[in-house]
Amino acid sequence: MCTLVSTSIVFAQKIDNLVELKQQSKNELFHKLKKAPRTPAFESEGYWVWGSSVVKGEDGKYHMFVSRFPKSLPFHPGWMVASEIVHAISDTPQGPYRFSDVALPARGAQYWDGRSTHNPRILKYKGKYYLIYMGSTHPFAEPTYAELTLSSPWCTVGRANKRIGLAVSDSPYGPWKRFDEPILKTKPNTFYSFLTSNPSPVLQEDGSVMMIFKGRAYTPNGKHSDMSLGIAYAPSIEGPYTVLNNDQPIFQVDGQGEAEDPFLWKDKRGYHAIFKDHVAKFTGERGGGVMAHSKDGIHWTVDKDPKAYSLTVEWEDGKVEKQGQLERPFLLFDENGKMTHAFFATMDGPGGFENANKSWNMVIPIQ
């Protein structure tokens, strides 16, 4: 089993003075985050909006693939049973992005991803576009707002059916060819025996893929375990995908702390990841961002100054405010490999999915 090594003792950090924390930070992302524009990178009237992924197209425009689901359902677990991945475009990386089309709509309960597509990651390779995403299905009629709860059949079945899949297109405008089977299924007696989700792939120089993903296991009481993160490899984008590290997680709750929403990238130094500090284990901030590094994608070391981002945001209008949620980080890089923008799914309210009135995708420029 992989052991995560922390290179520093992490104390709880006060986030009241965000500007001072950023100035003092030695983290390569946190201290470079600029003020965020108030204008959403993407929002959609009548919909909850969540995580996104952006790529520059052959047409010179920036193409965002982003999750949305109707506000006629509660945010959580509405995304599990009614999300769709839509395509939006902008002339600039910062946006705002304009709705273009629905890339991956519902396609029927008989398909593994027939009722929900979520967590998009877009890759461009040799003239084709590849969407790696989470999909799910359920056999029931559409629920009402009151019927859809965390203990309802829709949630129980929708959660257990979460898998990672792939769609391919010659154009960011589609049409998209969706695979009839997931590219990363569950496997008995592993940390991902219950579900696979939250894929974050990195395309390597030889066309192979390394992908961090979230897994949960079945437990003896018939429920599911805490979240773990694993690493998978494929010789090409279309697969086959093999979970590395002898089917053991690279991050798990025992010892390290529960991690979620990973974003993976690679440069000449090796692999790097940021992820949500689900229980404030690393940063002292529940839901804050952690940065970690690896030479091989399996053995990871937490950054000496681990906080990569905070739920507290410094806005262009001078205000500093804590978001209700800040999740699904995505970093955009330019042609020279320099990170230029950080995208996040966010919402208003005092925290907790049930306390929000709206959600949107936001962007923070990077120095």
Side-chain angles (χ1 to χ4, degrees), residues 21-29 31 303-305:
L21 280 177
K22 286 169 62 177
Q23 290 173 344
Q24 295 174 351
S25 173
K26 299 296 191 295
N27 186 279
E28 61 188 83
L29 175 60
H31 83 276
D303 195 271
K304 293 180 179 179
D305 193 346

Side-chain angles (χ1 to χ4, degrees), residues 231-278:
I231 189 81
Y233 170 83
S236 70
I237 300 175
E238 296 191 9
Y241 285 79
T242 302
V243 177
L244 304 180
N245 198 35
N246 296 316
D247 275 330
Q248 296 297 318
I250 56 173
F251 300 95
Q252 76 262 331
V253 67
D254 295 334
Q256 292 104 313
E258 202 168 11
E260 189 180 16
D261 288 351
F263 176 80
L264 178 70
W265 75 99
K266 184 182 182 184
D267 60 22
K268 61 183 179 181
R269 298 171 297 162
Y271 299 93
H272 314 276
I274 53 176
F275 56 86
K276 177 184 173 184
D277 191 2
H278 196 66

Side-chain angles (χ1 to χ4, degrees), residues 100-311:
S100 172
D101 53 87
V102 179
L104 301 183
R107 60 171 177 164
Q110 69 270 31
Y111 293 95
W112 70 270
D113 62 348
R115 292 299 188 96
S116 181
T117 57
H118 201 65
N119 296 154
R121 284 287 186 258
I122 184 70
L123 300 173
K124 182 176 70 171
Y125 185 63
K126 292 188 175 181
K128 290 185 179 293
Y129 294 83
Y130 298 86
L131 261 177
I132 294 179
Y133 61 99
M134 182 281 289
S136 185
T137 191
H138 65 80
F140 310 114
E142 297 294 339
T144 65
Y145 193 103
E147 288 175 325
L148 186 60
T149 66
L150 292 176
S151 60
S152 67
W154 292 273
C155 181
T156 300
V157 176
R159 189 195 298 273
N161 279 329
K162 289 165 62 177
R163 304 289 185 268
I164 294 171
L166 176 67
V168 185
S169 177
D170 293 328
S171 165
Y173 297 92
W176 293 91
K177 177 188 176 183
R178 291 152 75 165
F179 284 32
D180 290 333
E181 297 288 336
I183 59 171
L184 191 58
K185 299 180 180 181
T186 55
K187 184 177 179 180
N189 301 313
T190 67
F191 73 93
Y192 57 101
S193 63
F194 182 72
L195 62 78
T196 64
S197 185
N198 292 30
S200 184
V202 61
L203 183 61
Q204 304 188 107
E205 296 82 358
D206 62 357
S208 66
V209 172
M210 289 282 275
M211 181 174 71
I212 286 184
F213 68 98
K214 183 177 85 173
R216 289 187 189 265
Y218 274 104
T219 56
N221 60 7
K223 296 184 179 180
H224 56 75
S225 68
D226 294 319
M227 296 176 288
S228 297
L229 298 182
I231 189 81
Y233 170 83
S236 70
I237 300 175
E238 296 191 9
Y241 285 79
T242 302
V243 177
L244 304 180
N245 198 35
N246 296 316
D247 275 330
Q248 296 297 318
I250 56 173
F251 300 95
Q252 76 262 331
V253 67
D254 295 334
Q256 292 104 313
E258 202 168 11
E260 189 180 16
D261 288 351
F263 176 80
L264 178 70
W265 75 99
K266 184 182 182 184
D267 60 22
K268 61 183 179 181
R269 298 171 297 162
Y271 299 93
H272 314 276
I274 53 176
F275 56 86
K276 177 184 173 184
D277 191 2
H278 196 66
V279 293
K281 176 76 173 183
F282 306 103
T283 65
E285 181 185 1
R286 187 179 181 91
V290 184
M291 181 176 287
H293 311 280
S294 174
K295 292 295 185 182
D296 59 5
I298 296 173
H299 302 91
W300 288 84
T301 301
V302 172
D303 195 271
K304 293 180 179 179
D305 193 346
K307 185 186 283 289
Y309 59 87
S310 172
L311 272 73

Side-chain angles (χ1 to χ4, degrees), residues 324-341:
Q325 302 284 146
L326 194 79
E327 298 187 351
R328 304 298 306 158
F330 173 84
L331 300 179
L332 181 65
F333 295 82
D334 65 15
E335 289 82 356
N336 298 315
K338 179 182 181 295
M339 59 176 72
T340 62
H341 295 81

